[in-house]
């Protein structure tokens, strides 16, 4: 594992460490959102093709299922144009319950934060403890994800993200996504902080069809596109803050890249960096084997 740079160069000169936690943004959708659904399904509290309205009566659209939310085919739009400025958690919930569909459920894939926010409320409604505690007890601890959490301890090494004009400083240990922050720092679409080591452990679980921690059939659906972007035996997910991870089961490859692309503003792009890093991983693998990975990964 390679570690470069500094945790927050405009705050101090502490070097990056292997246990530095990053805001993993939308990787939360699979590391927490997907796995929590799996656990609730296995406990008989949810069903994959269950209508959301059966679980959450305030949601009145009967055609949307939990599968649709995970597949991003619910018909909900991608995001809220105002990012819920000035909203509190209760107001966000009320607004979300009234969100109109943009297309018929199951007919069009639109990568949607709103869909995963809805999933957060679905899951929370059938839990006996908070969403963040449920993740720790039923996902993080069983999988030995020792540095993956919502609401991290800010005394630990954490990479700062974007400069916050309101606070007058860089976000450090506070979720970068505004919607998740206004929800209290916890959601199914964003909010997790993690390390490269923990994410590789997570990918190993996915590669091993749940590693007896989750039902193998459900994890195989994930690798086929339930939550992940999938192509052949390759599955991947990215995050807005500059993170991504992928696995290729046919070549036993797993890769995690944690960067901080928003530190100097949201206009920074790392599309080419992602491709260069992943190509270098595949080339290094090919040089050590007689076979060569031949699957291309799409970069957006």
């Amino acid at each position: 594992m390679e570690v470069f740079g500094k945790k927050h160069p405009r705050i101090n000169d502490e070097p990056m460490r292997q246990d530095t936690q990053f805001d993993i943004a939308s990787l939360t959708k699979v590391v927490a959102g997907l796995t929590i659904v799996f656990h609730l399904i296995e406990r008989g509290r949810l069903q994959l093709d269950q209508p959301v309205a059966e679980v959450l009566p305030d949601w009145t659209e009967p055609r949307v299922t939990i599968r649709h939310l995970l597949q991003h085919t619910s018909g909900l739009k991608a995001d809220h144009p105002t990012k819920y400025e000035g909203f509190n958690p209760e107001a966000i919930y009320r607004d979300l319950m009234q969100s109109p569909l943009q297309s018929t459920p199951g007919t069009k894939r639109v990568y949607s934060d709103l869909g995963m926010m809805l999933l957060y409320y679905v899951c929370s409604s059938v839990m006996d403890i908070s969403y963040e505690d449920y993740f720790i007890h039923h996902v993080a601890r069983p999988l030995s994800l020792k540095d993956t959490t919502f609401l991290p301890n800010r005394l630990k090494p954490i990479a700062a993200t974007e400069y916050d004009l309101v606070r007058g400083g860089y976000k450090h240990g506070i979720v970068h996504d505004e919607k998740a922050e206004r929800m209290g720092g916890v959601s199914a679409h964003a909010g997790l902080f993690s390390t490269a080591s923990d994410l590789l452990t997570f990918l190993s679980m996915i590669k091993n069809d749940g590693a007896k921690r989750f039902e193998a059939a459900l994890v195989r659906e994930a690798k086929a596109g339930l939550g992940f972007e999938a192509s052949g035996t390759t599955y991947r997910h990215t995050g807005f803050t500059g993170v991504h991870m992928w696995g290729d089961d046919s070549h036993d490859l797993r890769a995690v890249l944690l960067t901080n692309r928003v530190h100097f503003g949201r206009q920074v792009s790392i599309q080419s960096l992602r491709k260069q890093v992943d190509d270098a991983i595949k080339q290094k693998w090919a040089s050590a084997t007689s076979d060569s990975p031949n699957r291309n990964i799409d970069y957006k």
Side-chain angles (χ1 to χ4, degrees):
M1 184 184 302
E2 299 293 339
V3 180
F4 301 99
K6 299 174 182 178
K7 291 200 305 254
H8 28 77
R10 292 192 184 181
I11 299 175
N12 57 38
D13 290 329
E14 294 182 57
M16 194 70 66
R17 297 171 15 179
Q18 289 195 3
D19 63 345
T20 296
Q21 291 175 299
F22 280 74
D23 179 333
I24 64 170
S26 284
L27 298 191
T28 302
K29 292 178 172 69
V30 288
V31 179
L34 184 69
T35 54
I36 284 176
V37 169
F38 286 174
H39 192 271
L40 290 169
I41 289 173
E42 292 167 6
R43 272 36 178 200
R45 299 184 185 182
L46 293 177
Q47 298 174 43
L48 199 53
D49 293 305
Q50 184 174 16
V52 168
E54 284 188 6
V55 186
L56 209 59
D58 289 337
W59 175 259
T60 58
E61 171 50 68
R63 296 172 295 174
V64 177
T65 67
I66 292 169
R67 183 189 295 275
H68 289 145
L69 299 180
L70 288 170
Q71 289 179 329
H72 298 285
T73 59
S74 67
L76 284 165
K77 60 185 176 181
D79 205 346
H80 195 291
T82 65
K83 294 188 182 297
Y84 293 114
E85 292 178 5
F87 279 41
N88 59 27
E90 292 75 22
I92 290 175
Y93 175 81
R94 290 194 301 270
D95 185 82
L96 188 60
M97 291 304 105
Q98 300 169 10
S99 295
L101 300 185
Q102 307 296 304
S103 60
T104 301
T107 63
K108 184 178 180 181
R109 188 180 191 276
V110 175
Y111 184 79
S112 174
D113 274 5
L114 299 187
M116 294 302 291
M117 290 163 64
L118 179 57
L119 186 66
Y120 162 80
Y121 289 115
V122 168
C123 293
S124 296
S125 71
V126 297
M127 292 175 177
D128 300 323
I129 57 177
S130 68
Y131 192 89
E132 60 268 32
D133 286 342
Y134 199 94
F135 172 76
I136 292 297
H137 290 298
H138 300 298
V139 178
R141 286 180 182 170
L143 295 181
S144 298
L145 307 181
K146 58 184 177 64
D147 291 313
T148 303
T149 185
F150 293 99
L151 308 172
N153 182 345
R154 295 172 66 186
L155 296 178
K156 291 188 175 182
I158 302 173
T161 54
E162 190 174 20
Y163 191 84
D164 189 326
L165 292 174
V166 175
R167 292 186 176 88
Y170 281 85
K171 282 192 171 183
H172 176 241
I174 300 170
V175 60
H176 176 262
D177 181 270
E178 296 94 336
K179 301 184 298 297
E181 183 181 359
R182 294 186 178 104
M183 292 171 70
V186 181
S187 183
H189 77 284
L192 274 184
F193 288 73
S194 188
T195 62
S197 177
D198 275 7
L199 292 175
L200 284 171
T201 297
F202 175 81
L203 285 175
S204 293
M205 178 276 291
I206 297 294
K207 185 261 180 183
N208 290 307
D209 292 341
K212 299 182 180 179
R213 296 293 185 182
F214 298 102
E215 187 176 313
L218 290 173
V219 178
R220 284 195 288 268
E221 284 206 51
K223 291 193 285 187
L226 184 69
F228 285 95
E229 295 179 36
S231 176
T233 59
T234 301
Y235 41 92
R236 68 186 291 266
H237 210 291
T238 60
F240 187 80
T241 51
V243 299
H244 85 278
M245 62 183 182
W246 59 269
D248 184 344
D249 286 0
S250 67
H251 295 99
D252 196 20
L253 279 173
R254 287 169 295 286
V256 171
L257 175 64
L258 301 182
T259 72
N260 199 359
R261 82 163 182 93
V262 298
H263 192 76
F264 297 106
R266 301 187 183 194
Q267 74 279 3
V268 176
S269 173
I270 62 165
Q271 294 174 355
S272 60
L273 174 64
R274 282 174 166 152
K275 189 176 189 308
Q276 290 169 18
V277 170
D278 290 351
D279 285 348
I281 291 170
K282 290 189 288 184
Q283 290 169 9
K284 185 173 182 179
W285 182 92
S287 68
T289 66
S290 58
D291 191 12
S292 179
N294 54 15
R295 284 185 174 80
N296 294 322
I297 298 177
D298 294 327
Y299 291 83
K300 296 183 178 179

